[in-house]
Amino acid sequence: MIEEKLEKILLNVQKPARYIGGEQGSVVKDPSKVSIRFAMCFPDLYEVGMSHLGMKILYSLKNEQSDVWCERVFAPDLDMEAEMRREGIPLYGLESLEPVRRFDFLGFTLQYEMCYPTILNMLDLAGIPVWAKDRGEAEPIIAAGGPCACNPEPIADFFDLFVLGEGEEVNLELIDLYRTKKREGWSRREFLLRAARIPGIYVPAFYEVAYGEDGCIRAVAPVVPEAAPVVTKRIIADLDKVYYPKNFVVPYMEIVHDRAMVEVLRGCIRGCRFCQAGFIYRPFREKEPDTLNENAHTLCRNTGYDEVSLTSLSTSDYSRLEALLEKMLPWSGEEKTNLSLPSLRVDGFSEELAEKIAQVRKSGLTFAPEAGTQRMRDVINKNLTEEEIFSTCRAAFAGGYTAVKLYFMMGQPTETDEDIEGIVQLAQRIVNLYYSMPERPKGKSVTVTCSVACFVPKPFTPFQFEAQDTVEELRRKQKHLLDTPHSKKIQLKYHDASTSVLEGVLARGDRRLAPVIYAAWRAGSKLDADDRYFDLARWEQAFAACGIDPAFYANRRREYGEVLPWDHLDFGVDKAFLIREDEKAHRDAVTLNCREGCSACGAQKLTGGNCLVRR
């Protein structure tokens, strides 16, 4: 039925390849021979979701189970959604073209807070009640994981369970438990009670939140014995033994990151105080070069991709990067496969590395100083000097590069207008450096692009206690940035301030925000991660209708003793450590990276010893 209706409407929508499935590498099974159907849902457009490595890993992992069929589901664009609602087409899996409401699980990946209304829209389009309390025995289990699951409280009332941390092992444990549910005929509640016993599984319905008269949380406590007072995330101790796919689904259309990808490490040694990923993915773990080389070559052979990306939070922190490149360069050069290193640290870039990259890639280089002045780089613990920045640019220019992209952030704690001006001044000194070098590429000009994001305080970072700048203050700083004199060789870009502040509200919110998200969705909010569709007025109306002041969540500093919405979840990093780091930020004091000295963040307890000892 769905296939017939799709044939009628696909010519009416843009990019119909998003909605038809059938790509090389997609997994099609006989429905009569599988016992568990899993919909892997990405609450954004196809081209965004298909670029996500975690989704690729879990898709293949689940489909390796002979009795499990995992299918991909993405949010339709507005034109396709209108056609689906008009023709009565429910949300469906791309592999079978069957309604996902008939599946056993819907698993959403939570990459970005602005996708929350899209989740509700996908559930509604599937014909599934959006509130967890309204679902009966016939509805699928609605689960979620990903970085935003470190504070799932704003959307807790929409989900049955959350997977905290790394999913390769715990997903299989959850599926195995569901096999038993089907075999023994458990109720939905009985399954969730037993799921709550699995380490890393958080079932929000089994916790009660108490609030004080000041509006702050007084306590979060379990209401059933099966629920642990604190739920600890899952990690994979040995990355060389963890599952990694030998094949990717190859799309018919261009996607955001259209290449093979191998994950070289997890975690980060740096401790930048604004960076959520750098803390929630601790401890630091690396893969062996032989493992990575085999992963990369196998993927390229099986998919036909002519580019492979070495991905991580900071690829240049991989201790054997040059050894890995030595293994990959012979076959990548022979097979004309481009190597991409998207996450390079300024202080991890050398002339030798530039030469190796240049053998297969000669495009612009991207680095993230994050702040324009040394004082601000010390505040955020970037552990990066101006001389290291210049040394890196000098090596890049000597290697033939003429374009440098620099990422910065504005609105961070203790920032002044002088720090904003420092962004442009640093870029100008890099332009001057280029023209001062006799060995620069002859006859070519330089371009320095500064992309300046708005700081968003996030859970499980030292800055989780800090107040966020208001929209008005961020816009004033953006104007000051543009008004600072600069060369035509410098391009300045910045993000929308209102989106960033709303992101901050949702990132540090509690369960009282669920009605706001629901009201915003009912007013038309969806695909809000796309600037084309975001409408601040809908959110302002939703906050007003629910009697919620967003400033309480965004623009208020938290006291260190305050119970935070996520304090009953443990992502490895101790709250006492985060407090110490925030205090050091206000003294402009730095902390050594993990290789230079352990700062006792607490993540070592997840591995039972030194995080950096090779396994």
PDB file of all heavy atoms in Angstrom, residues 572-596:
ATOM      1  N   GLY A 572      30.950   9.541  34.142  1.00  0.00           N
ATOM      2  CA  GLY A 572      32.344   9.254  34.449  1.00  0.00           C
ATOM      3  C   GLY A 572      33.111  10.386  35.071  1.00  0.00           C
ATOM      4  O   GLY A 572      34.049  10.157  35.836  1.00  0.00           O
ATOM      5  N   VAL A 573      32.755  11.630  34.748  1.00  0.00           N
ATOM      6  CA  VAL A 573      33.497  12.790  35.250  1.00  0.00           C
ATOM      7  C   VAL A 573      32.819  13.297  36.524  1.00  0.00           C
ATOM      8  O   VAL A 573      31.619  13.551  36.543  1.00  0.00           O
ATOM      9  CB  VAL A 573      33.552  13.900  34.184  1.00  0.00           C
ATOM     10  CG1 VAL A 573      34.297  15.114  34.713  1.00  0.00           C
ATOM     11  CG2 VAL A 573      34.228  13.377  32.919  1.00  0.00           C
ATOM     12  N   ASP A 574      33.582  13.425  37.596  1.00  0.00           N
ATOM     13  CA  ASP A 574      33.038  13.802  38.897  1.00  0.00           C
ATOM     14  C   ASP A 574      32.626  15.271  38.925  1.00  0.00           C
ATOM     15  O   ASP A 574      33.322  16.138  38.380  1.00  0.00           O
ATOM     16  CB  ASP A 574      34.072  13.555  40.000  1.00  0.00           C
ATOM     17  CG  ASP A 574      34.418  12.086  40.151  1.00  0.00           C
ATOM     18  OD1 ASP A 574      33.585  11.240  39.771  1.00  0.00           O
ATOM     19  OD2 ASP A 574      35.520  11.790  40.644  1.00  0.00           O
ATOM     20  N   LYS A 575      31.532  15.562  39.606  1.00  0.00           N
ATOM     21  CA  LYS A 575      31.067  16.937  39.744  1.00  0.00           C
ATOM     22  C   LYS A 575      32.100  17.781  40.482  1.00  0.00           C
ATOM     23  O   LYS A 575      32.292  18.967  40.150  1.00  0.00           O
ATOM     24  CB  LYS A 575      29.728  16.963  40.475  1.00  0.00           C
ATOM     25  CG  LYS A 575      29.034  18.325  40.461  1.00  0.00           C
ATOM     26  CD  LYS A 575      27.636  18.238  41.068  1.00  0.00           C
ATOM     27  CE  LYS A 575      26.913  19.573  40.997  1.00  0.00           C
ATOM     28  NZ  LYS A 575      25.541  19.496  41.591  1.00  0.00           N
ATOM     29  N   ALA A 576      32.792  17.190  41.475  1.00  0.00           N
ATOM     30  CA  ALA A 576      33.819  17.934  42.221  1.00  0.00           C
ATOM     31  C   ALA A 576      34.934  18.394  41.293  1.00  0.00           C
ATOM     32  O   ALA A 576      35.476  19.502  41.444  1.00  0.00           O
ATOM     33  CB  ALA A 576      34.381  17.070  43.344  1.00  0.00           C
ATOM     34  N   PHE A 577      35.298  17.566  40.328  1.00  0.00           N
ATOM     35  CA  PHE A 577      36.321  17.945  39.344  1.00  0.00           C
ATOM     36  C   PHE A 577      35.832  19.107  38.482  1.00  0.00           C
ATOM     37  O   PHE A 577      36.589  20.063  38.214  1.00  0.00           O
ATOM     38  CB  PHE A 577      36.668  16.751  38.460  1.00  0.00           C
ATOM     39  CG  PHE A 577      37.446  17.108  37.224  1.00  0.00           C
ATOM     40  CD1 PHE A 577      38.794  17.401  37.290  1.00  0.00           C
ATOM     41  CD2 PHE A 577      36.822  17.158  35.983  1.00  0.00           C
ATOM     42  CE1 PHE A 577      39.509  17.744  36.147  1.00  0.00           C
ATOM     43  CE2 PHE A 577      37.527  17.502  34.842  1.00  0.00           C
ATOM     44  CZ  PHE A 577      38.872  17.792  34.920  1.00  0.00           C
ATOM     45  N   LEU A 578      34.580  19.056  38.045  1.00  0.00           N
ATOM     46  CA  LEU A 578      34.030  20.133  37.214  1.00  0.00           C
ATOM     47  C   LEU A 578      34.001  21.451  37.981  1.00  0.00           C
ATOM     48  O   LEU A 578      34.268  22.515  37.416  1.00  0.00           O
ATOM     49  CB  LEU A 578      32.629  19.764  36.735  1.00  0.00           C
ATOM     50  CG  LEU A 578      32.537  18.496  35.873  1.00  0.00           C
ATOM     51  CD1 LEU A 578      31.087  18.186  35.527  1.00  0.00           C
ATOM     52  CD2 LEU A 578      33.368  18.637  34.597  1.00  0.00           C
ATOM     53  N   ILE A 579      33.712  21.379  39.280  1.00  0.00           N
ATOM     54  CA  ILE A 579      33.734  22.591  40.112  1.00  0.00           C
ATOM     55  C   ILE A 579      35.147  23.158  40.184  1.00  0.00           C
ATOM     56  O   ILE A 579      35.350  24.374  40.030  1.00  0.00           O
ATOM     57  CB  ILE A 579      33.188  22.274  41.519  1.00  0.00           C
ATOM     58  CG1 ILE A 579      31.684  21.965  41.449  1.00  0.00           C
ATOM     59  CG2 ILE A 579      33.448  23.432  42.479  1.00  0.00           C
ATOM     60  CD1 ILE A 579      31.098  21.437  42.740  1.00  0.00           C
ATOM     61  N   ARG A 580      36.135  22.283  40.400  1.00  0.00           N
ATOM     62  CA  ARG A 580      37.531  22.753  40.466  1.00  0.00           C
ATOM     63  C   ARG A 580      37.939  23.426  39.161  1.00  0.00           C
ATOM     64  O   ARG A 580      38.623  24.459  39.163  1.00  0.00           O
ATOM     65  CB  ARG A 580      38.478  21.580  40.753  1.00  0.00           C
ATOM     66  CG  ARG A 580      38.331  20.964  42.133  1.00  0.00           C
ATOM     67  CD  ARG A 580      39.555  20.125  42.499  1.00  0.00           C
ATOM     68  NE  ARG A 580      39.847  19.063  41.542  1.00  0.00           N
ATOM     69  CZ  ARG A 580      39.344  17.832  41.613  1.00  0.00           C
ATOM     70  NH1 ARG A 580      38.492  17.526  42.583  1.00  0.00           N
ATOM     71  NH2 ARG A 580      39.686  16.918  40.722  1.00  0.00           N
ATOM     72  N   GLU A 581      37.526  22.857  38.051  1.00  0.00           N
ATOM     73  CA  GLU A 581      37.887  23.413  36.751  1.00  0.00           C
ATOM     74  C   GLU A 581      37.209  24.763  36.507  1.00  0.00           C
ATOM     75  O   GLU A 581      37.810  25.674  35.934  1.00  0.00           O
ATOM     76  CB  GLU A 581      37.526  22.424  35.637  1.00  0.00           C
ATOM     77  CG  GLU A 581      38.476  21.261  35.525  1.00  0.00           C
ATOM     78  CD  GLU A 581      39.883  21.703  35.128  1.00  0.00           C
ATOM     79  OE1 GLU A 581      40.047  22.212  34.007  1.00  0.00           O
ATOM     80  OE2 GLU A 581      40.805  21.560  35.950  1.00  0.00           O
ATOM     81  N   ASP A 582      35.966  24.903  36.929  1.00  0.00           N
ATOM     82  CA  ASP A 582      35.278  26.183  36.768  1.00  0.00           C
ATOM     83  C   ASP A 582      35.946  27.259  37.625  1.00  0.00           C
ATOM     84  O   ASP A 582      36.109  28.413  37.186  1.00  0.00           O
ATOM     85  CB  ASP A 582      33.806  26.034  37.148  1.00  0.00           C
ATOM     86  CG  ASP A 582      32.992  27.282  36.802  1.00  0.00           C
ATOM     87  OD1 ASP A 582      33.054  27.714  35.648  1.00  0.00           O
ATOM     88  OD2 ASP A 582      32.325  27.818  37.697  1.00  0.00           O
ATOM     89  N   GLU A 583      36.352  26.899  38.819  1.00  0.00           N
ATOM     90  CA  GLU A 583      37.055  27.847  39.684  1.00  0.00           C
ATOM     91  C   GLU A 583      38.383  28.263  39.058  1.00  0.00           C
ATOM     92  O   GLU A 583      38.755  29.449  39.096  1.00  0.00           O
ATOM     93  CB  GLU A 583      37.285  27.223  41.059  1.00  0.00           C
ATOM     94  CG  GLU A 583      36.008  27.035  41.866  1.00  0.00           C
ATOM     95  CD  GLU A 583      36.228  26.254  43.149  1.00  0.00           C
ATOM     96  OE1 GLU A 583      37.208  25.469  43.216  1.00  0.00           O
ATOM     97  OE2 GLU A 583      35.432  26.400  44.084  1.00  0.00           O
ATOM     98  N   LYS A 584      39.095  27.320  38.452  1.00  0.00           N
ATOM     99  CA  LYS A 584      40.365  27.648  37.799  1.00  0.00           C
ATOM    100  C   LYS A 584      40.145  28.572  36.596  1.00  0.00           C
ATOM    101  O   LYS A 584      40.977  29.438  36.311  1.00  0.00           O
ATOM    102  CB  LYS A 584      41.080  26.365  37.360  1.00  0.00           C
ATOM    103  CG  LYS A 584      41.615  25.534  38.519  1.00  0.00           C
ATOM    104  CD  LYS A 584      42.253  24.242  38.060  1.00  0.00           C
ATOM    105  CE  LYS A 584      43.612  24.476  37.431  1.00  0.00           C
ATOM    106  NZ  LYS A 584      44.315  23.187  37.160  1.00  0.00           N
ATOM    107  N   ALA A 585      39.018  28.390  35.901  1.00  0.00           N
ATOM    108  CA  ALA A 585      38.726  29.259  34.759  1.00  0.00           C
ATOM    109  C   ALA A 585      38.634  30.715  35.193  1.00  0.00           C
ATOM    110  O   ALA A 585      39.119  31.616  34.489  1.00  0.00           O
ATOM    111  CB  ALA A 585      37.417  28.825  34.096  1.00  0.00           C
ATOM    112  N   HIS A 586      38.065  30.961  36.352  1.00  0.00           N
ATOM    113  CA  HIS A 586      37.909  32.338  36.839  1.00  0.00           C
ATOM    114  C   HIS A 586      39.229  32.890  37.380  1.00  0.00           C
ATOM    115  O   HIS A 586      39.307  34.089  37.683  1.00  0.00           O
ATOM    116  CB  HIS A 586      36.811  32.400  37.896  1.00  0.00           C
ATOM    117  CG  HIS A 586      35.433  32.296  37.311  1.00  0.00           C
ATOM    118  ND1 HIS A 586      34.719  33.396  36.889  1.00  0.00           N
ATOM    119  CD2 HIS A 586      34.661  31.214  37.014  1.00  0.00           C
ATOM    120  CE1 HIS A 586      33.562  32.995  36.393  1.00  0.00           C
ATOM    121  NE2 HIS A 586      33.495  31.682  36.462  1.00  0.00           N
ATOM    122  N   ARG A 587      40.245  32.043  37.479  1.00  0.00           N
ATOM    123  CA  ARG A 587      41.596  32.508  37.838  1.00  0.00           C
ATOM    124  C   ARG A 587      42.517  32.527  36.621  1.00  0.00           C
ATOM    125  O   ARG A 587      43.725  32.731  36.764  1.00  0.00           O
ATOM    126  CB  ARG A 587      42.199  31.600  38.919  1.00  0.00           C
ATOM    127  CG  ARG A 587      41.388  31.499  40.203  1.00  0.00           C
ATOM    128  CD  ARG A 587      42.247  30.916  41.341  1.00  0.00           C
ATOM    129  NE  ARG A 587      42.827  29.621  41.016  1.00  0.00           N
ATOM    130  CZ  ARG A 587      42.251  28.437  41.272  1.00  0.00           C
ATOM    131  NH1 ARG A 587      41.048  28.404  41.854  1.00  0.00           N
ATOM    132  NH2 ARG A 587      42.853  27.310  40.958  1.00  0.00           N
ATOM    133  N   ASP A 588      41.946  32.289  35.425  1.00  0.00           N
ATOM    134  CA  ASP A 588      42.742  32.200  34.190  1.00  0.00           C
ATOM    135  C   ASP A 588      43.821  31.124  34.311  1.00  0.00           C
ATOM    136  O   ASP A 588      44.916  31.244  33.737  1.00  0.00           O
ATOM    137  CB  ASP A 588      43.409  33.543  33.850  1.00  0.00           C
ATOM    138  CG  ASP A 588      42.429  34.677  33.694  1.00  0.00           C
ATOM    139  OD1 ASP A 588      41.213  34.407  33.650  1.00  0.00           O
ATOM    140  OD2 ASP A 588      42.869  35.838  33.632  1.00  0.00           O
ATOM    141  N   ALA A 589      43.534  30.053  35.041  1.00  0.00           N
ATOM    142  CA  ALA A 589      44.517  28.997  35.290  1.00  0.00           C
ATOM    143  C   ALA A 589      44.223  27.802  34.399  1.00  0.00           C
ATOM    144  O   ALA A 589      43.066  27.467  34.126  1.00  0.00           O
ATOM    145  CB  ALA A 589      44.484  28.580  36.758  1.00  0.00           C
ATOM    146  N   VAL A 590      45.284  27.138  33.941  1.00  0.00           N
ATOM    147  CA  VAL A 590      45.132  26.013  33.019  1.00  0.00           C
ATOM    148  C   VAL A 590      45.364  24.689  33.748  1.00  0.00           C
ATOM    149  O   VAL A 590      45.963  24.648  34.820  1.00  0.00           O
ATOM    150  CB  VAL A 590      46.101  26.126  31.826  1.00  0.00           C
ATOM    151  CG1 VAL A 590      45.836  27.395  31.045  1.00  0.00           C
ATOM    152  CG2 VAL A 590      47.549  26.074  32.283  1.00  0.00           C
ATOM    153  N   THR A 591      44.875  23.625  33.129  1.00  0.00           N
ATOM    154  CA  THR A 591      45.074  22.257  33.609  1.00  0.00           C
ATOM    155  C   THR A 591      45.807  21.491  32.514  1.00  0.00           C
ATOM    156  O   THR A 591      45.467  21.606  31.329  1.00  0.00           O
ATOM    157  CB  THR A 591      43.727  21.583  33.908  1.00  0.00           C
ATOM    158  OG1 THR A 591      43.074  22.293  34.952  1.00  0.00           O
ATOM    159  CG2 THR A 591      43.922  20.135  34.343  1.00  0.00           C
ATOM    160  N   LEU A 592      46.782  20.692  32.898  1.00  0.00           N
ATOM    161  CA  LEU A 592      47.548  19.918  31.926  1.00  0.00           C
ATOM    162  C   LEU A 592      46.648  18.918  31.214  1.00  0.00           C
ATOM    163  O   LEU A 592      45.654  18.441  31.765  1.00  0.00           O
ATOM    164  CB  LEU A 592      48.684  19.170  32.618  1.00  0.00           C
ATOM    165  CG  LEU A 592      49.763  20.023  33.294  1.00  0.00           C
ATOM    166  CD1 LEU A 592      50.755  19.122  34.035  1.00  0.00           C
ATOM    167  CD2 LEU A 592      50.499  20.873  32.264  1.00  0.00           C
ATOM    168  N   ASN A 593      47.023  18.579  29.978  1.00  0.00           N
ATOM    169  CA  ASN A 593      46.271  17.531  29.302  1.00  0.00           C
ATOM    170  C   ASN A 593      46.625  16.174  29.916  1.00  0.00           C
ATOM    171  O   ASN A 593      47.583  16.038  30.670  1.00  0.00           O
ATOM    172  CB  ASN A 593      46.491  17.558  27.785  1.00  0.00           C
ATOM    173  CG  ASN A 593      47.866  17.073  27.365  1.00  0.00           C
ATOM    174  OD1 ASN A 593      48.277  15.956  27.674  1.00  0.00           O
ATOM    175  ND2 ASN A 593      48.591  17.912  26.622  1.00  0.00           N
ATOM    176  N   CYS A 594      45.833  15.168  29.589  1.00  0.00           N
ATOM    177  CA  CYS A 594      45.938  13.879  30.272  1.00  0.00           C
ATOM    178  C   CYS A 594      47.288  13.204  30.077  1.00  0.00           C
ATOM    179  O   CYS A 594      47.734  12.437  30.940  1.00  0.00           O
ATOM    180  CB  CYS A 594      44.827  12.952  29.795  1.00  0.00           C
ATOM    181  SG  CYS A 594      43.162  13.570  30.120  1.00  0.00           S
ATOM    182  N   ARG A 595      47.954  13.462  28.954  1.00  0.00           N
ATOM    183  CA  ARG A 595      49.265  12.838  28.724  1.00  0.00           C
ATOM    184  C   ARG A 595      50.334  13.486  29.589  1.00  0.00           C
ATOM    185  O   ARG A 595      51.319  12.851  29.947  1.00  0.00           O
ATOM    186  CB  ARG A 595      49.647  12.935  27.248  1.00  0.00           C
ATOM    187  CG  ARG A 595      48.938  11.925  26.362  1.00  0.00           C
ATOM    188  CD  ARG A 595      49.766  11.588  25.123  1.00  0.00           C
ATOM    189  NE  ARG A 595      49.102  10.531  24.375  1.00  0.00           N
ATOM    190  CZ  ARG A 595      48.370  10.712  23.281  1.00  0.00           C
ATOM    191  NH1 ARG A 595      48.208  11.939  22.816  1.00  0.00           N
ATOM    192  NH2 ARG A 595      47.804   9.705  22.662  1.00  0.00           N
ATOM    193  N   GLU A 596      50.147  14.758  29.916  1.00  0.00           N
ATOM    194  CA  GLU A 596      51.132  15.472  30.724  1.00  0.00           C
ATOM    195  C   GLU A 596      50.940  15.232  32.215  1.00  0.00           C
ATOM    196  O   GLU A 596      51.874  15.384  32.994  1.00  0.00           O
ATOM    197  CB  GLU A 596      51.067  16.970  30.417  1.00  0.00           C
ATOM    198  CG  GLU A 596      51.461  17.306  28.989  1.00  0.00           C
ATOM    199  CD  GLU A 596      51.202  18.765  28.642  1.00  0.00           C
ATOM    200  OE1 GLU A 596      50.197  19.318  29.134  1.00  0.00           O
ATOM    201  OE2 GLU A 596      51.997  19.339  27.881  1.00  0.00           O
TER     202      GLU A 596
END
